[in-house]
Amino acid sequence: MSSESQYKDTLLLPQTSFPMRGDLVENEPKRLAIWEKQDLYHRILERRRAQKAPTYILHDGPPFANGDVHMGTALNKVLKDLVVKSKTMAGFAAPFVPGWDCHGLPIEFKVVKQATGLEPAEIRRRCTEFAEKFIEIQRGSFRRLGVFGDWYNPYLTMAPGYEAEILRVFAKLVENGVVYQSKKPVQWSYGAHTALAEAEVEYQDKESPAIFVKFPLTPESSSKLGIGNAAIAIWTTTPWTLPANLGVAVHPEFTYEVSQFEGNGRSEILIVVKELVAELEAKAGMRRMSVLKSVKGRELENLEARHPFLDRTSKIILGNFVTTETGTGAVHIAPGHGADDYVAGQQYGLGLLSPVDDDGNFTAEVGLPSLVGKHVFKSNEPIVELLEEKGVLLAKEVYRHSYPHCWRSKTPIIFRAVEQFFISLETLRGKALSEIDKVEWLPANGRNRIYGTVESRPDWCISRQRTWGVPLPVFFDADNKAILSAEVARKVADLVETHGTNIWFELSDAELAEKLGLPAGLKKGRDTLDVWIDSGCSHVAVLEKHPELHAPADLYLEATDQHRGWFQSSLMMSVAWRDKAPYKTVLTHGFVVDKDKKGKGEKLSKSEADKSGKPIDAAHYYNKYGADIVRLWVSSVDWQSEVPFGEDLFKQVAEPYRRLRNTLRILLGNLDGFDPEMDRVAASHMPLLDQWILERLNAVVSECRKAYETFEFRKVFNSLNQFCSVDLSAIYIDATKDRMYCDAKNSVRRRASQTAMYDVFSAISRLLAPILAYTADEAWEHAAFTEGSVHEQDFPEADPAFAGGQATAKVNRLLEIKRTVQTAIEEQVKAKTFTKNNEAAVQLVVPEKELVYDLLRDRQFTTEFFIIADLDVSAGSALSAKATKTHHEMCPRCRRYEPLGKSGLCARCESVVQVVSHA
């Protein structure tokens, strides 16, 4: 037996059952099963309620039940869980009721695509099954990610009780007189056969034919202008809307020049805004020869021009929406195909013409037999050719621009006038804008985003020509006049609460009228409500109906696109319902983007991921790396901007995970045999290093508590990662290893370190719990001195006893000195004077009045702190160090270079071995 191995049994080596490897993929599901068997979520809530804790309500924005959970959704749900878990551990009762958005185009579109020609009842049955399937899939993923919530009592927008509340909110809107029916242009998806709300539109680049066209003034108008044969030039990127043209708009304050143009084989007298004459010259290949007259736009009001190819006139009107950015400063007006056009047309009594059917094909109203039945986008070329034939086409070009597309069918939308139901924002808008300024927006620029959206949005088109949704509760009389009644809507709500919305589609008109006590002969409406009304009513259907929740909620947390989606629809519905916003704080996070495309603003999508071969399903990542790695990734990102994502990033995140896990393991190993009730050492008896680590811990606790409170999870991650990797591992654990292994079991300094490590473990395992939900709970379970789950605990409090910073000031100076000492040692190691740090004898010179001079004269302290054999300190003009090889021999038990006694051991080891051998 070697001299070293004979002392092995006298050493106090770390002992813990907490494994080095997490094996997260295998072990996390087992822990999840335990949590659910113990009903941990409700146990946590009951504890807080018993304490009469204040409530904190994060209201879950419902994801669509139409696909697997991708990493964008995972980011959102884990961020919510970080809030809920941290608020719970900060002393709040924070119930989390998850929800799903079940109705609407995304689901119906997929169902109808699979089988055409289905009856409404069958479409709805299949949509229900589709939604239920994906609710189960998504619920499994969210649970697997460690997200706590009332998973088996979620809110579903297709549940009868929820649907009834939607209809009651609708009734209130009708009662307030803000719902009306009108034929006006809406964003129409010919791919999905329905009107769309702004939030259902996405923008993509599109190439369109841009044309300059002349509208010749009538002889009467030319006479009023005082110039014969004049024409007003317009520019448009939608030639297909010209058959519906009823006017031309100019800006009242712009200066328009009536000029003689020549070139390209033609001579024209054209009216063009002064700033864009040069653009027309360049595009049309003509030169302006002379300016015949200058007029303000308002002087052209009510003049008339001849339609370029149809036998009617177009009135010149005024519009402040006209700009000088491009074109001619004159805008062709088709009231049936644009919002501005419609408003201007109403002001001037132009009428309404929209000769387009549900499929996007021209009807007979187009006035050109050759175009009837032809798709509008395929009609651009024939119209351009007709303009050329008529001699009114001045120029044409290809124009690339951002154009609205349907979010489901991905087809370009068309603005088309159809009879629809709307919510007037005339009264709601002002109140909504004032409520926005009472809400805390995180980040702060979220306020401007939603304010601008609410300020500029048109009246809300709420009717959808779809089957899968909540019916718009309206009846029509024999003259096809809509009967909008709050009383009827509430009766329908009561019926729906008992039977669900299917009853609207299953009963005949007569049967439904009879059940509602309405006169015979009425016809029920066929439209459904915009799905954004569904989710926009959740503050009523969920927050007001669940006894553990309240409205307004403390927090809404979603991706940044919800400024024009759920945040806005909820705000409008809440202002209509209770005259105030439904939330106190709104936090928005950036989109998850491919790390290779960061900065391009491209939201991660399934189609793009499939093309690139990069998986984006959350299941791929938690089944490969573990949910805690996904959670650590979420905590490490800056949620305020684009969130980069990729397989490489997960491999990088695995490294700090291993470091954090290993830190917990080392702490648990060193706490073997420690009884905090019996063995705790008072702060006044602690050596400097232990006081220092507890001062550092105090700072970390304060920093993390504040960061959790302000949702700065990245600060929590960075603070704990830095503390564990630098303060703990690189300095404290390294320096105290000798005393932990080799001191007597009950030595004061060893027990002082265990006291400090106990406090450190207890604090960081709780601070890590919201982030590393599985690992922190596993570590907590392996500690001999803990009870229950870590998730049932409170966050640590900052300890005022360690807030002074005296030890930190000293250790910071010692670390500066250590860098000088280490440089001297490494020079000698490189010169092969000796091979290890602890063989060094150091001669140290420090400046006069050195703060830590007395400590540097303490051999026990310096040999431990610097991990050396000897240190001789003296005062001088500047800090310097010189290292030589120690003359001491190595103690075979502790492997330090110390003066050895007769037993061949250092004095410390000799006394410990004597005690052990007599035990």
Side-chain angles (χ1 to χ4, degrees):
M1 181 184 289
S2 72
S3 58
E4 290 178 25
S5 59
Q6 75 183 86
Y7 299 113
K8 186 178 177 184
D9 290 344
T10 70
L11 298 175
L12 297 166
L13 299 176
Q15 298 287 332
T16 179
S17 56
F18 183 62
M20 182 183 294
R21 287 177 56 82
D23 290 328
L24 301 180
V25 174
E26 182 184 342
N27 290 327
E28 285 174 343
K30 296 174 186 173
R31 186 160 295 276
L32 175 61
I34 293 168
W35 287 343
E36 294 190 342
K37 185 178 180 183
Q38 295 173 344
D39 197 13
L40 181 59
Y41 166 76
H42 285 106
R43 211 166 74 186
I44 292 167
L45 268 183
E46 287 309 313
R47 173 176 173 260
R48 286 299 182 211
R49 285 176 185 143
Q51 296 169 338
K52 294 186 167 41
T55 59
Y56 187 90
I57 306 302
L58 187 163
H59 182 37
D60 186 32
F64 275 119
N66 71 328
D68 296 327
V69 173
H70 62 70
M71 288 307 295
T73 314
L75 170 77
N76 177 262
K77 250 346 180 250
V78 172
L79 278 173
K80 289 173 179 173
D81 194 53
L82 294 180
V83 172
V84 171
K85 282 189 170 75
S86 61
K87 289 296 180 184
T88 297
M89 295 185 78
F92 291 91
F96 183 66
V97 178
W100 275 273
D101 214 346
C102 308
H103 293 132
L105 196 53
I107 293 172
E108 185 175 351
F109 197 73
K110 289 185 179 180
V111 166
V112 173
K113 215 172 176 183
Q114 291 166 2
T116 56
L118 300 174
E119 289 295 315
E122 180 60 16
I123 290 173
R124 290 177 63 83
R125 188 190 67 77
R126 292 192 185 194
C127 285
T128 302
E129 287 179 357
F130 186 99
E132 286 172 345
K133 171 189 167 185
F134 281 103
I135 287 167
E136 194 52 46
I137 289 170
Q138 291 183 13
R139 174 167 37 212
S141 277
F142 294 143
R143 288 168 41 241
R144 177 66 184 82
L145 284 165
V147 178
F148 288 178
D150 200 355
W151 288 113
Y152 292 97
N153 294 290
Y155 76 86
L156 308 178
T157 61
M158 66 181 181
Y162 191 109
E163 293 174 322
E165 293 306 323
I166 295 169
L167 292 166
R168 289 180 184 121
V169 173
F170 179 82
K172 181 79 182 284
L173 291 162
V174 172
E175 196 169 67
N176 292 347
V178 297
V179 180
Y180 67 95
Q181 186 187 28
S182 178
K183 185 176 184 179
K184 56 199 276 190
V186 296
Q187 298 181 107
W188 182 266
S189 169
Y190 59 82
H193 281 200
T194 187
L196 300 175
E198 181 60 35
E200 296 170 313
V201 169
E202 57 190 24
Y203 287 80
Q204 298 174 25
D205 284 344
K206 180 179 182 290
E207 286 188 348
S208 299
I211 55 174
F212 293 79
V213 181
K214 70 173 184 177
F215 280 58
L217 295 190
T218 63
E220 295 83 356
S221 292
S222 286
S223 177
K224 287 178 186 176
L225 184 63
I227 296 173
N229 298 320
I232 189 162
I234 67 96
W235 176 84
T236 181
T237 58
T238 54
W240 67 267
T241 61
L242 283 171
N245 172 274
L246 296 172
V248 175
V250 294
H251 195 287
E253 301 306 322
F254 292 171
T255 298
Y256 290 82
E257 294 179 337
V258 188
S259 305
Q260 177 79 44
F261 290 85
E262 289 186 6
N264 224 355
R266 62 200 303 167
S267 177
E268 304 282 357
I269 297 174
L270 300 173
I271 304 169
V272 182
V273 76
K274 183 179 179 180
E275 291 85 350
L276 293 172
V277 168
E279 181 176 335
L280 178 62
E281 285 181 309
K283 298 290 171 63
M286 295 191 297
R287 284 184 58 204
R288 180 166 70 175
M289 307 309 292
S290 61
V291 179
L292 306 176
K293 189 172 185 177
S294 289
V295 293
K296 287 291 185 186
R298 60 177 173 270
E299 297 174 56
L300 301 173
E301 186 180 19
N302 292 322
L303 295 184
E304 291 197 334
R306 292 197 305 274
H307 190 284
F309 54 77
L310 293 171
D311 187 18
R312 63 169 182 261
T313 59
S314 299
K315 183 180 282 190
I316 299 179
I317 64 174
L318 303 181
N320 287 323
F321 52 84
V322 178
T323 72
T324 56
E325 285 177 18
T326 191
T328 64
V331 176
H332 118 75
I333 298 296
H337 293 304
D340 287 335
D341 301 43
Y342 174 80
V343 173
Q346 291 289 295
Q347 288 171 352
Y348 283 89
L350 298 185
L352 195 64
L353 180 60
S354 185
V356 182
D357 67 15
D358 290 359
D359 293 312
N361 297 328
F362 278 124
T363 64
E365 280 186 297
V366 72
L368 295 169
S370 61
L371 293 183
V372 176
K374 198 175 189 72
H375 195 277
V376 294
F377 289 131
K378 290 181 179 175
S379 300
N380 280 323
E381 270 314 306
I383 289 171
V384 172
E385 288 170 9
L386 179 60
L387 292 167
E388 212 153 10
E389 281 174 32
K390 299 282 186 182
V392 291
L393 183 69
L394 299 172
K396 64 178 178 179
E397 62 181 340
V398 174
Y399 185 70
R400 188 171 178 80
H401 57 144
S402 181
Y403 191 85
H405 286 64
C406 172
W407 67 334
R408 283 301 121 193
S409 65
K410 306 302 179 187
T411 49
I413 64 112
I414 55 177
F415 286 89
R416 171 180 176 240
V418 282
E419 286 282 355
Q420 298 285 351
F421 287 89
F422 296 85
I423 293 174
S424 168
L425 300 186
E426 191 177 335
T427 54
L428 293 178
R429 192 191 315 274
K431 183 62 182 172
L433 291 172
S434 68
E435 284 299 302
I436 285 170
D437 282 330
K438 296 175 185 174
V439 174
E440 181 184 15
W441 299 91
L442 300 171
N445 63 7
R447 179 266 178 202
N448 292 342
R449 292 197 63 178
I450 192 166
Y451 197 95
T453 308
V454 170
E455 192 173 38
S456 62
R457 75 167 291 172
D459 283 357
W460 184 353
C461 176
I462 59 169
S463 46
R464 294 292 177 273
Q465 292 64 55
R466 306 307 304 175
T467 301
W468 179 231
V470 174
L472 202 159
V474 64
F475 286 84
F476 295 88
D477 63 18
D479 297 322
N480 211 32
K481 186 171 182 281
I483 299 168
L484 272 170
S485 160
E487 184 187 352
V488 169
R490 289 191 179 102
K491 284 182 179 179
V492 174
D494 293 342
L495 199 61
V496 162
E497 189 149 30
T498 306
H499 302 285
T501 50
N502 281 351
I503 195 166
W504 181 273
F505 298 88
E506 290 167 354
L507 295 184
S508 67
D509 293 345
E511 290 169 331
L512 195 57
E514 186 183 346
K515 269 197 176 293
L516 296 169
L518 298 174
L522 296 180
K523 291 183 298 179
K524 64 184 176 184
R526 296 290 185 264
D527 290 347
T528 53
L529 285 165
D530 175 14
V531 72
W532 287 105
I533 286 185
D534 284 25
S535 56
C537 291
S538 62
H539 52 85
V540 177
V542 181
L543 295 180
E544 286 191 357
K545 298 302 169 185
H546 283 64
E548 73 270 34
L549 307 180
H550 59 66
D554 294 290
L555 181 68
Y556 276 34
L557 189 166
E558 302 299 330
T560 187
D561 56 344
Q562 295 308 313
H563 287 112
R564 67 188 188 109
W566 189 54
F567 298 153
Q568 188 181 167
S569 66
S570 298
L571 175 66
M572 291 303 186
M573 293 297 94
S574 185
V575 165
W577 182 258
R578 66 174 68 81
D579 216 28
K580 67 191 297 185
Y583 33 64
K584 298 174 186 175
T585 301
V586 174
L587 186 155
T588 52
H589 60 82
F591 294 133
V592 172
V593 297
D594 186 330
K595 71 178 182 63
D596 299 324
K597 295 182 179 178
K598 190 173 188 295
K600 295 181 182 177
E602 292 180 21
K603 185 178 173 182
L604 206 63
S605 71
K606 185 84 169 65
S607 56
E608 284 299 314
D610 290 344
K611 278 186 215 166
S612 64
K614 298 175 182 177
I616 64 165
D617 287 345
H620 168 84
Y621 293 93
Y622 60 65
N623 286 332
K624 184 173 182 179
Y625 299 98
D628 268 359
I629 301 297
V630 177
R631 297 178 69 92
L632 196 59
W633 165 72
V634 171
S635 76
S636 71
V637 301
D638 177 8
W639 50 258
Q640 296 191 50
S641 54
E642 287 181 355
V643 178
F645 164 80
E647 192 104 22
D648 290 350
L649 292 177
F650 273 80
K651 291 172 183 172
Q652 290 170 26
V653 168
E655 185 53 42
Y657 173 79
R658 281 191 290 271
R659 188 183 302 120
L660 291 166
R661 184 181 182 89
N662 195 44
T663 301
L664 292 170
R665 186 170 185 271
I666 290 168
L667 291 170
L668 282 172
N670 283 333
L671 286 168
D672 179 46
F674 178 73
D675 182 344
E677 297 294 322
M678 301 290 294
D679 302 328
R680 190 172 186 87
V681 173
S684 58
H685 291 94
M686 284 184 171
L688 177 69
L689 261 182
D690 306 297
Q691 292 180 31
W692 168 74
I693 201 65
L694 290 176
E695 283 186 3
R696 284 294 304 121
L697 177 67
N698 181 75
V700 167
V701 168
S702 297
E703 192 174 313
C704 289
R705 289 289 302 263
K706 186 178 179 184
Y708 271 127
E709 191 178 334
T710 54
F711 315 119
E712 294 178 279
F713 308 116
R714 193 181 194 183
K715 275 190 179 176
V716 178
F717 167 82
N718 287 335
S719 181
L720 290 172
N721 188 37
Q722 174 82 2
F723 178 67
C724 289
S725 61
V726 178
D727 298 335
L728 271 176
S729 298
I731 300 172
Y732 182 72
I733 289 170
D734 200 33
T736 58
K737 188 185 294 182
D738 173 73
R739 74 168 82 156
M740 293 305 303
Y741 293 7
C742 303
D743 271 17
K745 184 177 182 180
N746 292 316
S747 80
V748 173
R749 69 175 193 164
R750 185 173 185 277
R751 288 302 193 197
S753 285
Q754 285 188 309
T755 302
M757 289 183 187
Y758 168 82
D759 288 349
V760 169
F761 173 83
S762 177
I764 67 171
S765 55
R766 285 178 286 160
L767 290 172
L768 278 170
I771 298 170
L772 298 181
Y774 290 98
T775 302
D777 197 49
E778 180 191 2
W780 189 263
E781 183 184 272
H782 281 272
F785 42 78
T786 58
E787 290 182 359
S789 166
V790 73
H791 299 295
E792 295 176 280
Q793 314 307 314
D794 295 342
F795 273 146
E797 298 285 348
D799 187 345
F802 294 102
Q806 293 91 336
T808 300
K810 291 178 181 177
V811 172
N812 285 348
R813 176 56 182 158
L814 286 164
L815 290 171
E816 288 175 12
I817 294 169
K818 186 175 183 179
R819 284 192 283 275
T820 301
V821 168
Q822 202 58 38
T823 300
I825 292 171
E826 285 167 6
E827 286 173 0
Q828 296 307 309
V829 170
K830 196 173 181 182
K832 299 186 178 177
T833 307
F834 48 83
T835 58
K836 295 179 299 207
N837 225 80
N838 66 348
E839 291 180 84
V842 175
Q843 289 178 302
L844 179 68
V845 177
V846 295
E848 300 285 348
K849 297 182 180 177
E850 173 59 60
L851 170 70
V852 292
Y853 191 78
D854 290 343
L855 279 167
L856 293 170
R857 296 181 64 192
D858 180 339
R859 183 177 185 277
Q860 184 185 47
F861 174 80
T862 56
T863 54
E864 178 186 63
F865 184 82
F866 296 112
I867 314 177
I868 55 177
D870 256 322
L871 185 134
D872 179 45
V873 64
S874 60
S877 59
L879 179 65
S880 66
K882 182 182 175 185
T884 57
K885 185 174 181 178
T886 181
H887 62 273
H888 298 313
E889 297 292 322
M890 186 181 77
C891 172
R893 179 173 179 269
C894 67
R895 301 180 65 80
R896 289 176 59 179
Y897 289 80
E898 294 279 332
L900 303 183
K902 291 180 182 178
S903 64
L905 300 175
C906 67
R908 185 267 310 265
C909 288
E910 203 168 58
S911 66
V912 172
V913 168
Q914 282 178 1
V915 171
V916 170
S917 61
H918 289 98

